[in-house]
Amino acid sequence: EPEVTQTPSHQVTQMGQEVILRCVPISNHLYFYWYRQILGQKVEFLVSFYNNEISEKSEIFDDQFSVERPDGSNFTLKIRSTKLEDSAMYFCASRHQGFSNNEQFFGPGTRLTVL
Amino acid sequence: GQSLEQPSEVTAVEGAIVQINCTYQTSGFYGLSWYQQHDGGAPTFLSYNALDGLEETGRFSSFLSRSDSYGYLLLQELQMKDSASYFCAVREGSGTYKYIFGTGTRLKVLA
């Protein structure tokens, strides 16, 4: 069964460093998302991506963040100048085409720890 | 402001029926989804309601009342493996791809 994959599973970085989180969405999906979840808290929307551009972003997704689909398969989230409060689980998700289709498939997540 | 409120925790025994409520207040509303998340795992999609009424998928059912800004997830014939967190999520509008998640409900199923 096709699935969303994410790498790395765990990333440890020093405050102020840049990190890139990688995702490979399901191959025939057209809508891509990044979410974050601080330990024990709710899932928070960061950004949605469609047709090679950002569709929407939340107030969390400021200039520190950027997304890219550098090729036909990868979808990346870059976090510049990381802060302690960026420590969280980051989930990538993808959705098939069809506006009425609301089933998002989530990847296993990348746990980001900022020291 | 935007908010989706859920009970923080619910406990039930195996074989029982449990209902997890979600009340929402968002700038727009297009539909309500439910996701299950086991500890350390990723959210997995359970159901979606765009219209008022009940949607049934096996042991799980989901209900929506748009006029009351309210929905619930009904889990029947509870099993130990149903112990997890459950999140409701609102899709804000027909022209949006943005989903707002609720605070989550931790369900504990006891033997």
Side-chain angles (χ1 to χ4, degrees), chain B residues 10-61:
Chain B
V10 173
T11 302
V13 296
E14 263 189 309
I17 300 173
V18 72
Q19 179 174 313
I20 298 173
N21 299 321
C22 173
T23 56
Y24 58 87
Q25 183 176 11
T26 54
S27 56
F29 180 85
Y30 192 70
L32 185 72
S33 301
W34 287 93
Y35 285 83
Q36 178 191 62
Q37 185 180 32
H38 287 98
D39 284 347
T44 55
F45 176 85
L46 294 175
S47 68
Y48 176 76
N49 294 68
L51 303 175
D52 286 0
L54 192 68
E55 294 280 343
E56 297 182 68
T57 310
R59 294 189 298 116
F60 295 177
S61 304

mmCIF file of all heavy atoms in Angstrom, chain B residues 10-61:
data_model
loop_
_atom_site.group_PDB
_atom_site.id
_atom_site.type_symbol
_atom_site.label_atom_id
_atom_site.label_comp_id
_atom_site.label_asym_id
_atom_site.label_seq_id
_atom_site.Cartn_x
_atom_site.Cartn_y
_atom_site.Cartn_z
ATOM 1 N N VAL B 10 -11.417 10.507 27.784
ATOM 2 C CA VAL B 10 -12.610 9.675 27.946
ATOM 3 C C VAL B 10 -12.143 8.257 28.265
ATOM 4 O O VAL B 10 -11.179 7.773 27.655
ATOM 5 C CB VAL B 10 -13.466 9.664 26.662
ATOM 6 C CG1 VAL B 10 -14.611 8.668 26.776
ATOM 7 C CG2 VAL B 10 -14.003 11.053 26.362
ATOM 8 N N THR B 11 -12.811 7.606 29.189
ATOM 9 C CA THR B 11 -12.475 6.236 29.556
ATOM 10 C C THR B 11 -13.700 5.352 29.394
ATOM 11 O O THR B 11 -14.810 5.748 29.766
ATOM 12 C CB THR B 11 -11.979 6.159 31.009
ATOM 13 O OG1 THR B 11 -10.836 7.009 31.157
ATOM 14 C CG2 THR B 11 -11.578 4.742 31.374
ATOM 15 N N ALA B 12 -13.506 4.165 28.843
ATOM 16 C CA ALA B 12 -14.611 3.221 28.655
ATOM 17 C C ALA B 12 -14.050 1.803 28.700
ATOM 18 O O ALA B 12 -12.834 1.601 28.627
ATOM 19 C CB ALA B 12 -15.318 3.479 27.330
ATOM 20 N N VAL B 13 -14.935 0.827 28.808
ATOM 21 C CA VAL B 13 -14.497 -0.566 28.872
ATOM 22 C C VAL B 13 -14.667 -1.237 27.519
ATOM 23 O O VAL B 13 -15.434 -0.780 26.668
ATOM 24 C CB VAL B 13 -15.272 -1.356 29.958
ATOM 25 C CG1 VAL B 13 -14.969 -0.776 31.334
ATOM 26 C CG2 VAL B 13 -16.769 -1.344 29.671
ATOM 27 N N GLU B 14 -13.962 -2.297 27.338
ATOM 28 C CA GLU B 14 -14.065 -3.090 26.111
ATOM 29 C C GLU B 14 -15.504 -3.468 25.844
ATOM 30 O O GLU B 14 -16.238 -3.826 26.757
ATOM 31 C CB GLU B 14 -13.250 -4.380 26.265
ATOM 32 C CG GLU B 14 -11.874 -4.328 25.692
ATOM 33 C CD GLU B 14 -11.201 -5.693 25.685
ATOM 34 O OE1 GLU B 14 -11.175 -6.347 26.739
ATOM 35 O OE2 GLU B 14 -10.736 -6.095 24.611
ATOM 36 N N GLY B 15 -15.902 -3.379 24.581
ATOM 37 C CA GLY B 15 -17.250 -3.744 24.192
ATOM 38 C C GLY B 15 -18.260 -2.629 24.315
ATOM 39 O O GLY B 15 -19.379 -2.742 23.783
ATOM 40 N N ALA B 16 -17.895 -1.562 24.996
ATOM 41 C CA ALA B 16 -18.827 -0.448 25.207
ATOM 42 C C ALA B 16 -18.900 0.457 23.983
ATOM 43 O O ALA B 16 -18.202 0.247 22.981
ATOM 44 C CB ALA B 16 -18.397 0.346 26.429
ATOM 45 N N ILE B 17 -19.762 1.457 24.083
ATOM 46 C CA ILE B 17 -19.890 2.504 23.064
ATOM 47 C C ILE B 17 -19.441 3.819 23.686
ATOM 48 O O ILE B 17 -19.796 4.114 24.835
ATOM 49 C CB ILE B 17 -21.362 2.638 22.589
ATOM 50 C CG1 ILE B 17 -21.844 1.324 21.976
ATOM 51 C CG2 ILE B 17 -21.497 3.788 21.587
ATOM 52 C CD1 ILE B 17 -23.342 1.327 21.647
ATOM 53 N N VAL B 18 -18.697 4.599 22.943
ATOM 54 C CA VAL B 18 -18.252 5.889 23.470
ATOM 55 C C VAL B 18 -18.453 6.969 22.404
ATOM 56 O O VAL B 18 -18.339 6.703 21.210
ATOM 57 C CB VAL B 18 -16.778 5.820 23.926
ATOM 58 C CG1 VAL B 18 -15.834 5.741 22.739
ATOM 59 C CG2 VAL B 18 -16.426 7.007 24.790
ATOM 60 N N GLN B 19 -18.775 8.157 22.863
ATOM 61 C CA GLN B 19 -18.995 9.298 21.973
ATOM 62 C C GLN B 19 -18.010 10.400 22.323
ATOM 63 O O GLN B 19 -17.886 10.782 23.483
ATOM 64 C CB GLN B 19 -20.428 9.822 22.134
ATOM 65 C CG GLN B 19 -20.775 11.025 21.290
ATOM 66 C CD GLN B 19 -22.249 11.388 21.386
ATOM 67 O OE1 GLN B 19 -23.135 10.544 21.286
ATOM 68 N NE2 GLN B 19 -22.519 12.672 21.590
ATOM 69 N N ILE B 20 -17.314 10.902 21.323
ATOM 70 C CA ILE B 20 -16.363 11.992 21.508
ATOM 71 C C ILE B 20 -16.908 13.211 20.785
ATOM 72 O O ILE B 20 -17.109 13.183 19.564
ATOM 73 C CB ILE B 20 -14.973 11.606 20.964
ATOM 74 C CG1 ILE B 20 -14.431 10.397 21.725
ATOM 75 C CG2 ILE B 20 -14.019 12.785 21.064
ATOM 76 C CD1 ILE B 20 -13.134 9.842 21.158
ATOM 77 N N ASN B 21 -17.134 14.267 21.527
ATOM 78 C CA ASN B 21 -17.759 15.468 20.982
ATOM 79 C C ASN B 21 -16.736 16.493 20.503
ATOM 80 O O ASN B 21 -15.604 16.544 20.998
ATOM 81 C CB ASN B 21 -18.649 16.120 22.037
ATOM 82 C CG ASN B 21 -19.759 15.199 22.488
ATOM 83 O OD1 ASN B 21 -20.358 14.477 21.699
ATOM 84 N ND2 ASN B 21 -20.044 15.210 23.785
ATOM 85 N N CYS B 22 -17.173 17.312 19.573
ATOM 86 C CA CYS B 22 -16.344 18.392 19.034
ATOM 87 C C CYS B 22 -17.244 19.586 18.742
ATOM 88 O O CYS B 22 -18.196 19.467 17.973
ATOM 89 C CB CYS B 22 -15.652 17.916 17.765
ATOM 90 S SG CYS B 22 -14.730 19.189 16.851
ATOM 91 N N THR B 23 -16.978 20.696 19.389
ATOM 92 C CA THR B 23 -17.682 21.932 19.068
ATOM 93 C C THR B 23 -16.684 22.896 18.458
ATOM 94 O O THR B 23 -15.546 22.990 18.921
ATOM 95 C CB THR B 23 -18.342 22.558 20.310
ATOM 96 O OG1 THR B 23 -17.334 22.768 21.309
ATOM 97 C CG2 THR B 23 -19.401 21.653 20.873
ATOM 98 N N TYR B 24 -17.104 23.582 17.433
ATOM 99 C CA TYR B 24 -16.149 24.403 16.699
ATOM 100 C C TYR B 24 -16.650 25.821 16.522
ATOM 101 O O TYR B 24 -17.842 26.092 16.471
ATOM 102 C CB TYR B 24 -15.821 23.771 15.347
ATOM 103 C CG TYR B 24 -17.022 23.542 14.440
ATOM 104 C CD1 TYR B 24 -17.466 24.537 13.582
ATOM 105 C CD2 TYR B 24 -17.680 22.319 14.436
ATOM 106 C CE1 TYR B 24 -18.555 24.336 12.758
ATOM 107 C CE2 TYR B 24 -18.774 22.105 13.602
ATOM 108 C CZ TYR B 24 -19.209 23.113 12.775
ATOM 109 O OH TYR B 24 -20.302 22.904 11.958
ATOM 110 N N GLN B 25 -15.681 26.692 16.438
ATOM 111 C CA GLN B 25 -15.941 28.100 16.137
ATOM 112 C C GLN B 25 -14.811 28.548 15.227
ATOM 113 O O GLN B 25 -13.679 28.747 15.676
ATOM 114 C CB GLN B 25 -15.964 28.928 17.428
ATOM 115 C CG GLN B 25 -16.297 30.389 17.206
ATOM 116 C CD GLN B 25 -16.404 31.163 18.516
ATOM 117 O OE1 GLN B 25 -16.040 30.671 19.589
ATOM 118 N NE2 GLN B 25 -16.914 32.378 18.449
ATOM 119 N N THR B 26 -15.107 28.638 13.935
ATOM 120 C CA THR B 26 -14.079 28.951 12.946
ATOM 121 C C THR B 26 -14.586 30.049 12.020
ATOM 122 O O THR B 26 -15.787 30.292 11.923
ATOM 123 C CB THR B 26 -13.705 27.703 12.124
ATOM 124 O OG1 THR B 26 -14.882 27.134 11.558
ATOM 125 C CG2 THR B 26 -13.047 26.656 13.006
ATOM 126 N N SER B 27 -13.670 30.653 11.299
ATOM 127 C CA SER B 27 -14.040 31.756 10.412
ATOM 128 C C SER B 27 -14.853 31.262 9.224
ATOM 129 O O SER B 27 -15.603 32.012 8.607
ATOM 130 C CB SER B 27 -12.790 32.489 9.940
ATOM 131 O OG SER B 27 -11.906 31.584 9.321
ATOM 132 N N GLY B 28 -14.705 30.010 8.863
ATOM 133 C CA GLY B 28 -15.502 29.398 7.813
ATOM 134 C C GLY B 28 -15.660 27.924 8.121
ATOM 135 O O GLY B 28 -14.983 27.376 8.990
ATOM 136 N N PHE B 29 -16.582 27.287 7.422
ATOM 137 C CA PHE B 29 -16.764 25.846 7.639
ATOM 138 C C PHE B 29 -17.161 25.190 6.338
ATOM 139 O O PHE B 29 -18.120 25.615 5.673
ATOM 140 C CB PHE B 29 -17.824 25.580 8.711
ATOM 141 C CG PHE B 29 -18.031 24.108 8.965
ATOM 142 C CD1 PHE B 29 -17.213 23.437 9.848
ATOM 143 C CD2 PHE B 29 -19.001 23.402 8.278
ATOM 144 C CE1 PHE B 29 -17.382 22.071 10.061
ATOM 145 C CE2 PHE B 29 -19.167 22.036 8.475
ATOM 146 C CZ PHE B 29 -18.354 21.371 9.379
ATOM 147 N N TYR B 30 -16.416 24.132 6.004
ATOM 148 C CA TYR B 30 -16.753 23.369 4.800
ATOM 149 C C TYR B 30 -16.959 21.903 5.104
ATOM 150 O O TYR B 30 -17.630 21.193 4.386
ATOM 151 C CB TYR B 30 -15.660 23.558 3.750
ATOM 152 C CG TYR B 30 -16.039 23.050 2.386
ATOM 153 C CD1 TYR B 30 -17.002 23.699 1.636
ATOM 154 C CD2 TYR B 30 -15.427 21.928 1.840
ATOM 155 C CE1 TYR B 30 -17.358 23.236 0.385
ATOM 156 C CE2 TYR B 30 -15.774 21.463 0.584
ATOM 157 C CZ TYR B 30 -16.733 22.122 -0.130
ATOM 158 O OH TYR B 30 -17.074 21.657 -1.365
ATOM 159 N N GLY B 31 -16.359 21.419 6.204
ATOM 160 C CA GLY B 31 -16.519 20.023 6.566
ATOM 161 C C GLY B 31 -15.717 19.682 7.804
ATOM 162 O O GLY B 31 -14.815 20.419 8.203
ATOM 163 N N LEU B 32 -16.088 18.544 8.415
ATOM 164 C CA LEU B 32 -15.451 18.096 9.656
ATOM 165 C C LEU B 32 -14.868 16.709 9.463
ATOM 166 O O LEU B 32 -15.571 15.797 9.020
ATOM 167 C CB LEU B 32 -16.482 18.076 10.793
ATOM 168 C CG LEU B 32 -15.945 17.744 12.185
ATOM 169 C CD1 LEU B 32 -15.124 18.901 12.728
ATOM 170 C CD2 LEU B 32 -17.100 17.434 13.137
ATOM 171 N N SER B 33 -13.587 16.573 9.781
ATOM 172 C CA SER B 33 -12.900 15.281 9.685
ATOM 173 C C SER B 33 -12.567 14.777 11.073
ATOM 174 O O SER B 33 -12.505 15.549 12.034
ATOM 175 C CB SER B 33 -11.587 15.423 8.904
ATOM 176 O OG SER B 33 -11.785 15.909 7.610
ATOM 177 N N TRP B 34 -12.314 13.478 11.159
ATOM 178 C CA TRP B 34 -11.843 12.849 12.399
ATOM 179 C C TRP B 34 -10.600 12.028 12.086
ATOM 180 O O TRP B 34 -10.533 11.318 11.070
ATOM 181 C CB TRP B 34 -12.919 11.951 12.994
ATOM 182 C CG TRP B 34 -14.049 12.711 13.608
ATOM 183 C CD1 TRP B 34 -15.223 13.081 13.017
ATOM 184 C CD2 TRP B 34 -14.109 13.210 14.951
ATOM 185 N NE1 TRP B 34 -16.016 13.774 13.899
ATOM 186 C CE2 TRP B 34 -15.346 13.866 15.095
ATOM 187 C CE3 TRP B 34 -13.244 13.158 16.048
ATOM 188 C CZ2 TRP B 34 -15.739 14.476 16.297
ATOM 189 C CZ3 TRP B 34 -13.640 13.760 17.240
ATOM 190 C CH2 TRP B 34 -14.874 14.409 17.353
ATOM 191 N N TYR B 35 -9.628 12.141 12.998
ATOM 192 C CA TYR B 35 -8.374 11.405 12.873
ATOM 193 C C TYR B 35 -8.083 10.681 14.177
ATOM 194 O O TYR B 35 -8.398 11.161 15.264
ATOM 195 C CB TYR B 35 -7.210 12.352 12.554
ATOM 196 C CG TYR B 35 -7.214 12.845 11.128
ATOM 197 C CD1 TYR B 35 -7.993 13.925 10.743
ATOM 198 C CD2 TYR B 35 -6.437 12.218 10.156
ATOM 199 C CE1 TYR B 35 -8.011 14.361 9.428
ATOM 200 C CE2 TYR B 35 -6.439 12.652 8.844
ATOM 201 C CZ TYR B 35 -7.236 13.721 8.486
ATOM 202 O OH TYR B 35 -7.248 14.154 7.184
ATOM 203 N N GLN B 36 -7.435 9.527 14.038
ATOM 204 C CA GLN B 36 -6.968 8.752 15.179
ATOM 205 C C GLN B 36 -5.453 8.833 15.226
ATOM 206 O O GLN B 36 -4.794 8.777 14.186
ATOM 207 C CB GLN B 36 -7.396 7.287 15.013
ATOM 208 C CG GLN B 36 -6.940 6.341 16.115
ATOM 209 C CD GLN B 36 -7.167 4.881 15.748
ATOM 210 O OE1 GLN B 36 -6.605 4.378 14.780
ATOM 211 N NE2 GLN B 36 -8.012 4.194 16.499
ATOM 212 N N GLN B 37 -4.910 8.961 16.431
ATOM 213 C CA GLN B 37 -3.452 8.992 16.572
ATOM 214 C C GLN B 37 -3.031 8.174 17.783
ATOM 215 O O GLN B 37 -3.348 8.514 18.920
ATOM 216 C CB GLN B 37 -2.947 10.432 16.710
ATOM 217 C CG GLN B 37 -1.429 10.535 16.736
ATOM 218 C CD GLN B 37 -0.936 11.957 16.879
ATOM 219 O OE1 GLN B 37 -1.583 12.790 17.517
ATOM 220 N NE2 GLN B 37 0.217 12.254 16.285
ATOM 221 N N HIS B 38 -2.318 7.086 17.540
ATOM 222 C CA HIS B 38 -1.730 6.319 18.631
ATOM 223 C C HIS B 38 -0.463 7.015 19.099
ATOM 224 O O HIS B 38 0.170 7.761 18.338
ATOM 225 C CB HIS B 38 -1.426 4.892 18.189
ATOM 226 C CG HIS B 38 -2.646 4.043 18.031
ATOM 227 N ND1 HIS B 38 -3.249 3.812 16.809
ATOM 228 C CD2 HIS B 38 -3.394 3.373 18.943
ATOM 229 C CE1 HIS B 38 -4.313 3.043 16.978
ATOM 230 N NE2 HIS B 38 -4.428 2.754 18.254
ATOM 231 N N ASP B 39 -0.102 6.765 20.364
ATOM 232 C CA ASP B 39 1.099 7.390 20.930
ATOM 233 C C ASP B 39 2.310 7.122 20.045
ATOM 234 O O ASP B 39 2.602 5.968 19.712
ATOM 235 C CB ASP B 39 1.360 6.850 22.340
ATOM 236 C CG ASP B 39 0.404 7.445 23.354
ATOM 237 O OD1 ASP B 39 -0.285 8.431 23.024
ATOM 238 O OD2 ASP B 39 0.352 6.925 24.488
ATOM 239 N N GLY B 40 2.997 8.186 19.684
ATOM 240 C CA GLY B 40 4.193 8.056 18.869
ATOM 241 C C GLY B 40 3.921 7.836 17.397
ATOM 242 O O GLY B 40 4.865 7.687 16.605
ATOM 243 N N GLY B 41 2.645 7.811 17.029
ATOM 244 C CA GLY B 41 2.305 7.548 15.629
ATOM 245 C C GLY B 41 1.791 8.770 14.908
ATOM 246 O O GLY B 41 1.682 9.857 15.478
ATOM 247 N N ALA B 42 1.459 8.583 13.657
ATOM 248 C CA ALA B 42 0.926 9.656 12.832
ATOM 249 C C ALA B 42 -0.597 9.623 12.861
ATOM 250 O O ALA B 42 -1.197 8.567 13.073
ATOM 251 C CB ALA B 42 1.419 9.505 11.390
ATOM 252 N N PRO B 43 -1.245 10.749 12.643
ATOM 253 C CA PRO B 43 -2.706 10.741 12.531
ATOM 254 C C PRO B 43 -3.154 9.919 11.339
ATOM 255 O O PRO B 43 -2.535 9.968 10.269
ATOM 256 C CB PRO B 43 -3.051 12.216 12.328
ATOM 257 C CG PRO B 43 -1.877 12.972 12.849
ATOM 258 C CD PRO B 43 -0.689 12.110 12.551
ATOM 259 N N THR B 44 -4.223 9.165 11.516
ATOM 260 C CA THR B 44 -4.815 8.426 10.411
ATOM 261 C C THR B 44 -6.278 8.829 10.274
ATOM 262 O O THR B 44 -6.991 8.978 11.262
ATOM 263 C CB THR B 44 -4.709 6.907 10.605
ATOM 264 O OG1 THR B 44 -5.298 6.552 11.866
ATOM 265 C CG2 THR B 44 -3.274 6.448 10.599
ATOM 266 N N PHE B 45 -6.689 8.992 9.048
ATOM 267 C CA PHE B 45 -8.022 9.481 8.725
ATOM 268 C C PHE B 45 -9.080 8.448 9.081
ATOM 269 O O PHE B 45 -8.923 7.249 8.812
ATOM 270 C CB PHE B 45 -8.069 9.792 7.225
ATOM 271 C CG PHE B 45 -9.412 10.215 6.710
ATOM 272 C CD1 PHE B 45 -9.814 11.537 6.798
ATOM 273 C CD2 PHE B 45 -10.264 9.298 6.116
ATOM 274 C CE1 PHE B 45 -11.042 11.936 6.299
ATOM 275 C CE2 PHE B 45 -11.493 9.685 5.613
ATOM 276 C CZ PHE B 45 -11.881 11.011 5.700
ATOM 277 N N LEU B 46 -10.175 8.936 9.707
ATOM 278 C CA LEU B 46 -11.284 8.054 10.038
ATOM 279 C C LEU B 46 -12.533 8.376 9.221
ATOM 280 O O LEU B 46 -13.175 7.471 8.675
ATOM 281 C CB LEU B 46 -11.622 8.160 11.532
ATOM 282 C CG LEU B 46 -10.573 7.660 12.520
ATOM 283 C CD1 LEU B 46 -11.025 7.950 13.950
ATOM 284 C CD2 LEU B 46 -10.302 6.178 12.326
ATOM 285 N N SER B 47 -12.902 9.662 9.174
ATOM 286 C CA SER B 47 -14.156 9.990 8.508
ATOM 287 C C SER B 47 -14.218 11.476 8.183
ATOM 288 O O SER B 47 -13.417 12.266 8.686
ATOM 289 C CB SER B 47 -15.350 9.631 9.396
ATOM 290 O OG SER B 47 -15.384 10.478 10.527
ATOM 291 N N TYR B 48 -15.215 11.822 7.353
ATOM 292 C CA TYR B 48 -15.425 13.216 6.966
ATOM 293 C C TYR B 48 -16.915 13.465 6.790
ATOM 294 O O TYR B 48 -17.610 12.659 6.159
ATOM 295 C CB TYR B 48 -14.683 13.522 5.660
ATOM 296 C CG TYR B 48 -14.919 14.918 5.129
ATOM 297 C CD1 TYR B 48 -14.288 15.999 5.719
ATOM 298 C CD2 TYR B 48 -15.770 15.145 4.046
ATOM 299 C CE1 TYR B 48 -14.494 17.286 5.237
ATOM 300 C CE2 TYR B 48 -15.978 16.420 3.563
ATOM 301 C CZ TYR B 48 -15.339 17.489 4.157
ATOM 302 O OH TYR B 48 -15.542 18.757 3.685
ATOM 303 N N ASN B 49 -17.394 14.572 7.361
ATOM 304 C CA ASN B 49 -18.795 14.984 7.182
ATOM 305 C C ASN B 49 -18.819 16.400 6.605
ATOM 306 O O ASN B 49 -18.221 17.305 7.176
ATOM 307 C CB ASN B 49 -19.544 15.018 8.518
ATOM 308 C CG ASN B 49 -19.708 13.653 9.143
ATOM 309 O OD1 ASN B 49 -18.731 13.041 9.562
ATOM 310 N ND2 ASN B 49 -20.931 13.189 9.243
ATOM 311 N N ALA B 50 -19.515 16.543 5.489
ATOM 312 C CA ALA B 50 -19.739 17.871 4.934
ATOM 313 C C ALA B 50 -21.176 18.322 5.171
ATOM 314 O O ALA B 50 -21.451 19.521 5.289
ATOM 315 C CB ALA B 50 -19.429 17.897 3.443
ATOM 316 N N LEU B 51 -22.069 17.361 5.241
ATOM 317 C CA LEU B 51 -23.492 17.649 5.423
ATOM 318 C C LEU B 51 -23.971 17.135 6.772
ATOM 319 O O LEU B 51 -23.358 16.237 7.360
ATOM 320 C CB LEU B 51 -24.306 16.991 4.306
ATOM 321 C CG LEU B 51 -23.924 17.381 2.878
ATOM 322 C CD1 LEU B 51 -24.725 16.573 1.876
ATOM 323 C CD2 LEU B 51 -24.107 18.873 2.653
ATOM 324 N N ASP B 52 -25.066 17.688 7.241
ATOM 325 C CA ASP B 52 -25.660 17.242 8.496
ATOM 326 C C ASP B 52 -26.027 15.763 8.419
ATOM 327 O O ASP B 52 -26.452 15.261 7.376
ATOM 328 C CB ASP B 52 -26.935 18.038 8.803
ATOM 329 C CG ASP B 52 -26.635 19.447 9.270
ATOM 330 O OD1 ASP B 52 -25.448 19.803 9.364
ATOM 331 O OD2 ASP B 52 -27.589 20.197 9.538
ATOM 332 N N GLY B 53 -25.867 15.094 9.552
ATOM 333 C CA GLY B 53 -26.288 13.707 9.614
ATOM 334 C C GLY B 53 -25.169 12.786 10.023
ATOM 335 O O GLY B 53 -24.098 13.215 10.443
ATOM 336 N N LEU B 54 -25.453 11.509 9.915
ATOM 337 C CA LEU B 54 -24.562 10.463 10.396
ATOM 338 C C LEU B 54 -23.887 9.745 9.231
ATOM 339 O O LEU B 54 -24.551 9.384 8.264
ATOM 340 C CB LEU B 54 -25.389 9.468 11.221
ATOM 341 C CG LEU B 54 -24.651 8.446 12.067
ATOM 342 C CD1 LEU B 54 -23.920 9.134 13.218
ATOM 343 C CD2 LEU B 54 -25.637 7.420 12.605
ATOM 344 N N GLU B 55 -22.587 9.561 9.350
ATOM 345 C CA GLU B 55 -21.826 8.767 8.391
ATOM 346 C C GLU B 55 -21.295 7.552 9.129
ATOM 347 O O GLU B 55 -20.690 7.691 10.180
ATOM 348 C CB GLU B 55 -20.639 9.562 7.829
ATOM 349 C CG GLU B 55 -21.012 10.753 6.972
ATOM 350 C CD GLU B 55 -21.390 10.357 5.559
ATOM 351 O OE1 GLU B 55 -21.050 9.229 5.161
ATOM 352 O OE2 GLU B 55 -22.033 11.178 4.882
ATOM 353 N N GLU B 56 -21.509 6.364 8.583
ATOM 354 C CA GLU B 56 -21.086 5.153 9.263
ATOM 355 C C GLU B 56 -20.011 4.436 8.475
ATOM 356 O O GLU B 56 -20.144 4.237 7.264
ATOM 357 C CB GLU B 56 -22.283 4.220 9.462
ATOM 358 C CG GLU B 56 -23.367 4.829 10.352
ATOM 359 C CD GLU B 56 -24.539 3.881 10.578
ATOM 360 O OE1 GLU B 56 -24.345 2.857 11.242
ATOM 361 O OE2 GLU B 56 -25.634 4.179 10.079
ATOM 362 N N THR B 57 -18.947 4.052 9.193
ATOM 363 C CA THR B 57 -17.858 3.290 8.582
ATOM 364 C C THR B 57 -17.460 2.207 9.556
ATOM 365 O O THR B 57 -16.637 2.417 10.443
ATOM 366 C CB THR B 57 -16.642 4.193 8.279
ATOM 367 O OG1 THR B 57 -17.056 5.355 7.585
ATOM 368 C CG2 THR B 57 -15.619 3.432 7.446
ATOM 369 N N GLY B 58 -18.070 1.036 9.395
ATOM 370 C CA GLY B 58 -17.756 -0.069 10.294
ATOM 371 C C GLY B 58 -18.156 0.240 11.724
ATOM 372 O O GLY B 58 -19.278 0.672 11.991
ATOM 373 N N ARG B 59 -17.217 0.093 12.658
ATOM 374 C CA ARG B 59 -17.512 0.351 14.074
ATOM 375 C C ARG B 59 -17.573 1.836 14.396
ATOM 376 O O ARG B 59 -18.019 2.226 15.469
ATOM 377 C CB ARG B 59 -16.460 -0.313 14.954
ATOM 378 C CG ARG B 59 -16.455 -1.823 14.917
ATOM 379 C CD ARG B 59 -15.522 -2.396 15.977
ATOM 380 N NE ARG B 59 -14.134 -2.009 15.783
ATOM 381 C CZ ARG B 59 -13.440 -1.258 16.624
ATOM 382 N NH1 ARG B 59 -14.012 -0.773 17.726
ATOM 383 N NH2 ARG B 59 -12.173 -0.982 16.385
ATOM 384 N N PHE B 60 -17.070 2.658 13.471
ATOM 385 C CA PHE B 60 -17.021 4.097 13.724
ATOM 386 C C PHE B 60 -18.117 4.819 12.948
ATOM 387 O O PHE B 60 -18.390 4.498 11.782
ATOM 388 C CB PHE B 60 -15.658 4.659 13.302
ATOM 389 C CG PHE B 60 -14.482 4.145 14.107
ATOM 390 C CD1 PHE B 60 -13.191 4.530 13.768
ATOM 391 C CD2 PHE B 60 -14.657 3.295 15.181
ATOM 392 C CE1 PHE B 60 -12.102 4.078 14.508
ATOM 393 C CE2 PHE B 60 -13.579 2.835 15.920
ATOM 394 C CZ PHE B 60 -12.296 3.228 15.571
ATOM 395 N N SER B 61 -18.727 5.794 13.600
ATOM 396 C CA SER B 61 -19.705 6.671 12.955
ATOM 397 C C SER B 61 -19.362 8.098 13.321
ATOM 398 O O SER B 61 -18.822 8.358 14.392
ATOM 399 C CB SER B 61 -21.125 6.357 13.438
ATOM 400 O OG SER B 61 -21.468 5.009 13.226
#
